[in-house]
Amino acid sequence: MSSSSVIPVVLWGNRPPSHCISCIITTYDQKTIVTGSTDGQLGIWDVRFADNGEIKIIPRNLIFAHSAKVTALTKATDGWDNQSSVISAAENGELCLWDTDDGICIQTNIIPGMHLALLSFHITVGTGKEWRVVCYGSYSDIYVIDALSLEVLHTLCSLSATNWISAACMFRTAGRPDDVVITVSLSGVLSVWMLKPTVESREIKEIKSTKAVGICCNPFTQRSLLIVCVQEWLMYDAEDFKFLASAPSPPGQTWMGGDFTAADCILVWTKDGKSYLYKLPVSCCPGVQDPKQGAFVKEPTVIQVFEKPTDQCATTDFNPVMFFSYGRRGPFYKLLLRGSSDGSVSIWKLTDDYFGKVEASISPLRGIPPLVSCSCADCWEIPMKPCGLIDCLNDLGQAIPVTASLYLPSYDYIVCGREDGSIVITSAARAAITQLLQPPGSGWPAHRLLLGHRGPVTCLLYPYDDYRRYDKEFLVSGGADFAVKLWDIFTGDLLYTFSTHAGELLRLLCTPSNCSVSLLFKAFTKTNKTELLHRSCKNKY
């Protein structure tokens, strides 16, 4: 009995892949960092701690996970037996459960809507625990899903406040086993949701501030509630929601999130990636056992600033994402993570020395640089850079960046759309053999060059792979020139051009099987306009 196996091979080019980080988390043991990107990729980074306190970040895996921007990440559990499971959410509704050790996708589901955040928690079932995830986004309801199957268990809804939720957090009061969800809507309504089906929310009060971007509960006391808005952060007593304190954002900056680093300290970060450590007065710390603990302040005071040096910040970096991780086992590290649009990850280590230096606020604070930084590009800092699959197919000897690619296993074709508008079709196996096993300059395999686009090729589609009712020779391409082109993949002839679009093409999809055969595919443009393109050109050729 014969058997066959498929071995995946990745051939990188001489330039590192883009990885514009949109969200970032770390596992509970702080040995792995997971980043999501605007391209739908997941990055897996190893974090290694040396005995001398040195930290090293090593890029390990790049997972092509989603077909849209990754908007949220969460740990599937906080147990030490299954600490490598991570759930990711994308803006097109996709949910995936991943094993970060080997990059395998364990489970998938699609919930319509753009997800903004995922919150994991556990419930007690008999003598064991089961893990749940609260999912909310650009829709009025809140979904409670199973962390392992990703199935929706029940939905939390509100009839009185049906506007979208801006921020949410899990909360469990001392002495009560039940968790609740505290949310802030776009209109500033603070509500409490019981995690039970058919139970509506209970409105508490209205926040008199701008849009909330984050909310968290003090894990050290379970009494303080931090609400981070764009222009200021506010603190309330979680038991009676009494106002405790507030602080405005620095001049010219806006807040983007925050977290508690100690019972009487909070860390709040801005849109440009700068973080401020605040010391809280005793009046803002209900539930603290020893009110005399630490230095005394009369009002929230900035005692430290964490930022990347100006010369390390890329000019193209926009909206870096931040995450605070408190190690709950072993050395109890308090780490501040920063993910940038250039694909770099930075780590600050918050030591106990930072929390007691109240006198530092009297003099101008100097920003503390990260302890370590690393990016995907660091892996390409080698003398012999890898050569891409089709880099040497240009007559000028210069690599033209590939902007879209498609693999056709039935013909062993690799189809690559490039930045100059050209499309290259060649044998994937022969190109890989030539690159890996033959010496440089020995010649590249035969290829076909399709010319027609006047801008970068942004998407490719081979309809026959999706539905056998379409002709085998049809290849469809979309570009930044607003055009969709129909090609004969075997001869390289341009059959037809659809150029009535109102924006750059982002994606091409086949129409459903129950749709008329006269309709070939759907085209999605930057204007969010969807067009059905007809197959009337077949009679013409």
Side-chain angles (χ1 to χ4, degrees):
M1 181 176 179
S2 62
S3 61
S4 60
S5 60
V6 177
I7 301 177
V9 177
V10 177
L11 299 177
W12 299 105
N14 57 9
R15 299 193 306 177
S18 61
H19 188 62
C20 180
I21 299 177
S22 56
C23 48
I24 183 172
I25 63 168
T26 180
T27 54
Y28 278 89
D29 61 357
Q30 297 181 334
K31 294 181 179 180
T32 304
I33 294 175
V34 182
T35 56
S37 74
T38 56
D39 296 329
Q41 307 163 350
L42 290 183
I44 309 297
W45 314 67
D46 288 334
V47 183
R48 298 180 181 177
F49 300 90
D51 295 336
N52 59 359
E54 182 182 353
I55 300 178
K56 183 179 292 186
I57 307 175
I58 303 175
R60 176 159 51 93
N61 287 340
L62 187 64
I63 305 173
F64 294 87
H66 294 276
S67 57
K69 174 183 176 181
V70 181
T71 55
L73 294 169
T74 191
K75 291 150 283 198
T77 70
D78 66 354
W80 297 95
D81 296 333
N82 192 21
Q83 59 194 14
S84 59
S85 297
V86 170
I87 301 175
S88 61
E91 65 179 4
N92 61 353
E94 296 175 349
L95 291 172
C96 295
L97 174 65
W98 303 90
D99 186 338
T100 58
D101 289 337
D102 51 19
I104 292 178
C105 182
I106 303 173
Q107 190 61 264
T108 62
N109 193 10
I110 296 179
I111 301 177
M114 184 174 70
H115 310 305
L116 298 180
L118 301 171
L119 309 172
S120 59
F121 68 101
H122 67 84
I123 61 174
T124 302
V125 179
T127 58
K129 294 181 180 180
E130 292 187 3
W131 295 91
R132 303 286 187 262
V133 174
V134 170
C135 177
Y136 70 91
S138 298
Y139 35 81
S140 57
D141 298 336
I142 297 176
Y143 294 103
V144 180
I145 63 177
D146 185 272
L148 298 181
S149 66
L150 300 185
E151 295 181 354
V152 178
L153 301 179
H154 56 269
T155 303
L156 308 178
C157 59
S158 174
L159 300 178
S160 57
T162 57
N163 53 341
W164 294 344
I165 296 172
S166 179
C169 72
M170 303 296 300
F171 176 68
R172 175 179 292 181
T173 58
R176 296 186 60 181
D178 297 332
D179 290 284
V180 298
V181 181
I182 302 178
T183 65
V184 180
S185 65
L186 286 177
S187 60
V189 177
L190 183 67
S191 304
V192 175
W193 310 66
M194 299 295 294
L195 286 171
K196 297 179 180 179
T198 69
V199 176
E200 293 187 12
S201 64
R202 180 169 60 93
E203 295 184 10
I204 301 299
K205 62 168 58 183
E206 184 175 354
I207 305 299
K208 301 295 183 180
S209 187
T210 54
K211 175 187 174 183
V213 293
I215 180 174
C216 63
C217 179
N218 191 335
F220 304 94
T221 64
Q222 297 294 329
R223 283 287 303 272
S224 304
L225 191 67
L226 173 67
I227 301 177
V228 181
C229 299
V230 174
Q231 298 298 331
E232 63 177 339
W233 61 259
L234 309 98
M235 190 166 293
Y236 293 86
D237 190 325
E239 288 197 351
D240 55 8
F241 294 95
K242 176 184 176 182
F243 175 78
L244 299 177
S246 67
S249 59
Q253 303 182 52
T254 56
W255 296 126
M256 283 300 293
D259 206 341
F260 285 89
T261 60
D264 57 349
C265 289
I266 62 172
L267 188 68
V268 190
W269 46 84
T270 62
K271 190 175 182 180
D272 61 358
K274 183 182 294 186
S275 301
Y276 295 84
L277 183 64
Y278 282 87
K279 183 74 172 182
L280 302 176
V282 177
S283 59
C284 294
C285 305
V288 175
Q289 298 297 328
D290 184 8
K292 298 181 181 180
Q293 180 181 2
F296 178 78
V297 292
K298 296 181 179 180
E299 59 184 13
T301 304
V302 177
I303 58 176
Q304 200 53 259
V305 179
F306 304 91
E307 61 178 332
K308 294 185 69 174
T310 305
D311 56 351
Q312 293 184 16
C313 296
T315 56
T316 57
D317 191 14
F318 58 93
N319 294 353
V321 292
M322 312 291 292
F323 181 79
F324 175 73
S325 170
Y326 176 52
R328 302 184 183 180
R329 192 177 186 182
F332 295 97
Y333 288 144
K334 297 180 180 181
L335 303 180
L336 174 64
L337 310 181
R338 182 185 192 267
S340 305
S341 58
D342 61 355
S344 64
V345 173
S346 303
I347 294 181
W348 286 264
K349 183 179 177 182
L350 279 65
T351 63
D352 294 336
D353 295 337
Y354 293 143
F355 303 112
K357 294 181 178 179
V358 179
E359 65 275 4
S361 62
I362 301 176
S363 59
L365 294 175
R366 297 180 58 185
I368 296 179
L371 185 65
V372 62
S373 296
C374 182
S375 68
C376 297
D378 294 341
C379 298
W380 268 255
E381 296 300 327
I382 54 177
M384 295 293 295
K385 297 184 183 298
C387 181
L389 190 65
I390 63 170
D391 284 352
C392 294
L393 295 182
N394 186 23
D395 295 335
L396 300 177
Q398 298 177 353
I400 302 175
V402 174
T403 53
S405 62
L406 182 67
Y407 177 56
L408 308 181
S410 54
Y411 304 112
D412 185 39
Y413 284 168
I414 181 74
V415 184
C416 296
R418 301 195 289 183
E419 194 176 63
D420 64 347
S422 62
I423 300 175
V424 175
I425 303 176
T426 187
S427 168
R430 290 183 179 274
I433 291 173
T434 302
Q435 183 189 23
L436 296 176
L437 303 180
Q438 296 184 8
S442 59
W444 286 77
H447 62 280
R448 184 172 292 114
L449 189 64
L450 311 183
L451 301 176
H453 283 285
R454 294 178 294 175
V457 179
T458 55
C459 48
L460 295 166
L461 174 68
Y462 185 58
Y464 183 75
D465 270 354
D466 292 338
Y467 299 106
R468 300 302 184 190
R469 56 180 178 157
Y470 295 115
D471 295 341
K472 294 183 178 181
E473 66 268 19
F474 281 173
L475 173 70
V476 188
S477 65
D481 56 356
F482 300 6
V484 173
K485 295 184 180 293
L486 184 67
W487 309 84
D488 188 318
I489 195 173
F490 302 114
T491 65
D493 295 333
L494 177 61
L495 303 180
Y496 201 81
T497 298
F498 304 89
S499 56
T500 59
H501 311 294
E504 174 183 341
L505 273 298
L506 299 179
R507 193 179 181 189
L508 297 169
L509 290 177
C510 283
T511 52
S513 57
N514 58 356
C515 191
S516 172
V517 73
S518 63
L519 298 177
L520 181 60
F521 54 85
K522 295 180 180 180
F524 295 85
T525 68
K526 270 191 175 179
T527 58
N528 295 327
K529 182 178 180 182
T530 306
E531 301 182 13
L532 293 174
L533 304 184
H534 290 266
R535 196 170 170 235
S536 57
C537 58
K538 184 176 181 183
N539 298 329
K540 201 171 182 179
Y541 295 93

